[in-house]
Every structure is written in C-alpha cells, then in structure tokens.
Amino acid sequence: MTTEVAVLGAGMHPWGKWGRGFVEYGVAAARAALADAGIAWRDVGSIVGADTVRGGYPGYVAGATFAKALGWQGARVASVYAACASGAQAIGTARTQILAGMADVVLVVGADAAPKGFFRPAGGDRPDDPDWLRFRVLGATNPAYFGLYARRRMAVHGDTLEDFAQVKVKNAAAGALNPNARYRKPVTVEEVAASAVVADPLRLLDICATSDGAAALVLSSMDFARRHGAADPVRIRAVSTVTPTYPTTVLDLPDIATDSAAVVAPADGTFRASIARAAYEEAGIGPEDISLAEVYDLSTALELQWYEDLGLCGEGEGAKLLRDGVTAPGGRVPVNTSGGLASFGEAVPAQAIAQVCEVTWQLRGTAGARQIEGARVGVTANQGLFGHGSSVVAVR
C-alpha cells in the first residue's frame, strides 16, 4: 500500500496586514487551491482546518468555519491545533483520511489575522502552561527567546552578527520575487545592522513580523489523481509530527525545566533533529537527497540552527554552509526560496501549509523568477509550542 498522496492544488492569500477576518483570507486561499487543482468545491470529500486561537469560536473550529463559508455540501470536517505546527497536523490528518479510504479529495486550509507586536499567551492564569510560565516567570517574550538562542550560537559555535544578517539578506532577496510575500524589498547587511536592537544581539530585521495570511492545499489519493488526469503530480511522501524525548540536555523555551538524566540516558539528538529524522525515515531518503528546504526562520539565528537539525551540515556548521552559498539560490540545497518568515511574517495556522505550497510550486517548476533548477525532493520544517514537531517531505 502506498503512503503517498498527490498534491493537486496549492493556493494562498498574500501575507500582510489587511485588517480583515481570517475567514476571508482562508476562503480566498481555498478557492485558489481548488482552481489550481481543477476541482469543484462540491467534489471535495473532506475539509481539514488549521485552527487559530485569535478567531473566537470560528477559529477553534476552523474546518467547519471554512466549510460553511465555502457552502455546506456535506463533506467530512476536522479541525486541528498545534500552534505553529497546526498546518502540518492538518496535512497529516488529511493524508490519513485519504490513505484510510475515507475521502478521495481533501481540502486543507489555514488562515490567521495576527495582532500587532509579538504573540502573547491567551488571558488568564495558567501555571501548568509552559508558554505562560516563560512569559510570567522568566519574562521571556518571543524576541527575548530568539535573542537568547542567538547568543548561545555565538558563544558555542562562533556565529557572528554578519552571519545572522546574511540570512535576512538571502531571504529578503527571495521574498522580493514572491507575489505572496508581505515584504518584497531586498535589504543589505548594513541595513540589518542599522535597524533597531530588539533583543540583543538581534535587530528588528533579524526577527519575523506577525502577519495576516492564508494557505491551502488540495490533496488526493494517487488513484484519483490519475483518473483526474494528473499522471505525475507532486506527492507528499512523509509527514512528521513527533514530540520530544526526555530527558533533554539543552533547555529550549518554552520549557524551563527537564527531568533528570541520572536514571534515563539522554536521547540521541535534539528534538528538532528528531523531527526531520522521522520524516526522512518515513520517506526512505536522507538529507543528501534534498533539493530544497523551507524552514521556520522566526529569527535569522534559528534558520542557521535548522540547517544542522535537517542534517544539511554538522553541528555548529550552519554559518559556514551559509557563507559558502550552499543554501542560496543556485547552491546545493537552497533554503527558504519563498522568502521565509523573514519576508512573510507569522500567520500561525497557515505557515506550515504555505511551506508545502512553495515546495509544490518548486517541484512543478512553476515558481517563476525564484525557480530552483532540477528540484525533485523538498522538505519543510517548523516547530509548535508544547512539543509539536512539523516536517513534510514532498517529491516529484
């Protein structure tokens, strides 16, 4: 039995600050994906929505919200929430339904209308919530967390401010070519260095914004794709949604404690490295097979960490990979050809889906001015709060 599903359609609503509700963005992305697939909404057997906690009850039941907005037609419905990994969870749910024979065609949608500034926990006192604790006990807002991570890379691996700035320069250049990106202007290392310090050592241009936006995919069984006339579609071969293994030896916010390593041996590798490893194992490939990657660049320093976690290089070698041009367009493994979150900003439930949209367009050869030559295998990676992993492998 094949574990692959076909990507028949991909669509997005451009990222930005549009001042409208998330449903409007999601419907636009869904309709774009359906049109791209050549599928009528009435022929969709199931819809999976990635939830947003900022949309009230409609956001908590995004699948049904989008089904109603598109027009009730009896499709199955599911809604999932995994913070920044919500989109990958939605893709995984859709794939499971297809492989189980519950639906031939599934629509996956994620959309958000984000607040200004950095994200903060929902209201109320929740001492059992590690995200709430790191804000209230440590005062570690998202920018502070990004800054601490950058400082650790500088101390342990010798990364420099110019290395971080070069990540932004690379991604901004790609974003300038992407009509769906919020920021479409190249920047220089000097401009990054001149931007305001937000959380030392990171500047404003080192940190991604919060944005409105949406992304959608139409997935199907391989049999349906062939009947539909798609003889060689992009295929999702693996979806990793793993959780951490304790004990951890390096703390990673929002967790602020770990169980003891005195009784149980530490895991072989970090949580983020395990996300990609699970995807590679399921797909039957290795990092050497990757043509391009879309990673979760909340900050410039975190992109460098993902290079190592994806196995594109050894520990501490992320900055060298960047300096050598390996992750730039034309390099061996271009990273964030979409422009990444540096160019889009965070629209939380949409971003893991948007990553797969970009990989799909690259594997099809339809990415326009940012097209990577000969792309055959793409991987995505991000991480949601509370131990949600997120990685998708797509092939052509």
Side-chain angles (χ1 to χ4, degrees), residues 208-237:
C208 77
T210 60
S211 292
D212 299 354
L217 296 166
V218 176
L219 307 181
S220 81
S221 66
M222 295 304 298
D223 285 343
F224 180 92
R226 284 187 285 268
R227 295 196 305 270
H228 188 62
D232 184 29
V234 172
R235 306 180 307 281
I236 290 178
R237 183 171 286 178

Side-chain angles (χ1 to χ4, degrees), residues 1-388:
M1 175 181 173
T2 180
T3 58
E4 293 183 340
V5 298
V7 183
L8 293 186
M12 295 177 66
H13 182 290
W15 260 235
K17 282 290 187 182
W18 307 113
R20 300 191 292 275
F22 80 97
V23 180
E24 182 176 339
Y25 309 141
V27 168
R31 287 175 175 160
L34 290 166
D36 184 47
I39 297 289
W41 160 235
R42 64 179 176 274
D43 295 325
V44 172
S46 178
I47 179 169
V48 183
D51 291 345
T52 171
V53 298
R54 282 170 291 281
Y57 281 124
Y60 295 130
V61 290
T65 297
F66 293 129
K68 178 182 178 182
L70 290 164
W72 294 126
Q73 45 87 308
R76 291 179 180 272
V77 67
S79 302
V80 299
Y81 182 71
C84 296
S86 297
Q89 292 276 0
I91 292 168
T93 299
R95 186 178 71 142
T96 299
Q97 291 181 350
I98 292 168
L99 295 178
M102 298 169 65
D104 273 336
V105 181
V106 182
L107 174 65
V108 180
V109 189
D112 206 1
K116 291 183 178 181
F118 54 79
F119 292 118
R120 56 187 60 82
D125 292 341
R126 297 184 313 284
D128 58 348
D129 175 350
D131 197 32
W132 182 91
L133 284 170
R134 57 117 173 176
F135 272 73
R136 300 299 192 275
V137 177
L138 299 182
T141 62
N142 285 0
Y145 157 44
F146 305 154
L148 289 170
Y149 214 98
R151 276 290 172 201
R152 184 179 189 277
R153 286 201 60 87
M154 295 174 76
V156 175
H157 301 310
D159 292 4
T160 67
L161 296 180
E162 182 170 346
D163 291 329
F164 300 153
Q166 289 289 359
V167 174
K168 174 67 175 184
V169 170
K170 172 182 70 69
N171 291 349
L177 303 175
N178 193 333
N180 289 308
R182 176 178 178 181
Y183 300 106
R184 300 188 60 196
K185 179 184 176 182
V187 301
T188 65
V189 169
E190 292 74 22
E191 287 173 323
V192 177
S195 63
V197 174
V198 175
D200 188 64
L202 298 180
R203 272 62 179 166
L204 183 65
L205 294 183
D206 282 304
I207 298 173
C208 77
T210 60
S211 292
D212 299 354
L217 296 166
V218 176
L219 307 181
S220 81
S221 66
M222 295 304 298
D223 285 343
F224 180 92
R226 284 187 285 268
R227 295 196 305 270
H228 188 62
D232 184 29
V234 172
R235 306 180 307 281
I236 290 178
R237 183 171 286 178
V239 181
S240 169
T241 56
V242 298
T243 54
T245 300
Y246 282 117
T248 56
T249 55
V250 177
L251 293 182
D252 190 2
L253 290 172
D255 295 321
I256 57 175
T258 181
D259 54 356
S260 173
V263 178
V264 181
D268 182 19
T270 64
F271 169 45
R272 270 194 291 268
S274 76
I275 298 171
R277 184 169 61 248
Y280 292 150
E281 290 174 356
E282 183 182 346
I285 64 169
E288 68 277 4
D289 299 309
I290 298 301
S291 304
L292 74 151
E294 284 288 307
V295 306
Y296 186 48
D297 58 318
L298 290 167
S299 78
T300 51
L302 285 176
E303 176 168 322
L304 297 178
Q305 183 65 44
W306 278 115
Y307 298 172
E308 299 165 23
D309 295 333
L310 286 175
L312 304 181
C313 61
E315 183 179 355
E317 297 175 355
K320 183 178 186 302
L321 209 68
L322 176 78
R323 294 169 197 156
D324 291 345
V326 174
T327 59
R332 178 172 55 85
V333 189
V335 175
N336 283 341
T337 58
S338 66
L341 296 182
S343 300
F344 278 73
E346 284 196 274
V348 170
Q351 50 211 34
I353 302 171
Q355 290 179 326
V356 178
C357 288
E358 175 66 17
V359 169
T360 296
W361 292 323
Q362 288 287 349
L363 297 183
R364 285 179 180 174
T366 60
R370 62 186 191 281
Q371 180 64 49
I372 300 304
E373 184 178 354
R376 304 297 296 175
V377 181
V379 65
T380 71
N382 68 27
Q383 176 186 359
L385 291 177
F386 306 101
H388 287 113

